[in-house]
Amino acid sequence: QVCRGLRTPRLPVWLCSASRRHCVLFSTDRHLLCDWKREKLFHLHLYSGQQRRTARLTVDTHSHHWEKDRHEEPSSQGKRCPAVEMAIRTKWAGATISWN
């Protein structure tokens, strides 16, 4: 069980350990944690220390499963979800995540 303080920190920064790699997920929107309306569609940045740059992820918490299936290619059926996406879904269950 994860305590409430770790699942919802005061600043939008999360330290993650996914697939034996450590990374930092953060948002530049400080109000993401205190205004539930901002949790519908927002951006997270992922820094893993590789190549000294961040990846930008778009998180959509109000997407529907049929919208997600429409954007997937037929060859991606049965494809495993990256560990970082699974970590994000521990906070926002069912979210659709796009890697920009």
Side-chain angles (χ1 to χ4, degrees):
Q1 173 114 359
V2 177
C3 77
R4 182 180 297 164
L6 290 175
R7 289 193 55 166
T8 308
R10 293 178 190 239
L11 295 172
V13 176
W14 295 270
L15 300 173
C16 300
S17 177
S19 297
R20 298 182 186 175
R21 293 185 178 180
H22 301 288
C23 61
V24 178
L25 279 168
F26 64 95
S27 174
T28 56
D29 183 2
R30 185 179 194 108
H31 300 287
L32 177 63
L33 299 173
C34 60
D35 184 2
W36 62 269
K37 295 174 192 168
R38 294 193 188 223
E39 289 188 7
K40 181 177 180 183
L41 182 68
F42 57 94
H43 301 286
L44 290 178
H45 300 273
L46 171 69
Y47 178 75
S48 63
Q50 296 176 350
Q51 301 176 354
R52 303 212 187 278
R53 59 183 182 166
T54 62
R56 185 173 178 217
L57 296 94
T58 302
V59 181
D60 184 357
T61 61
H62 285 76
S63 63
H64 302 353
H65 68 278
W66 57 85
E67 292 171 346
K68 180 179 152 190
D69 293 341
R70 182 174 38 184
H71 297 299
E72 287 184 354
E73 295 178 16
S75 61
S76 67
Q77 299 274 334
K79 184 178 174 183
R80 289 184 56 191
C81 182
V84 172
E85 289 186 21
M86 292 178 4
I88 291 170
R89 288 188 185 107
T90 63
K91 171 82 174 134
W92 293 284
T96 301
I97 301 160
S98 303
W99 293 71
N100 301 324

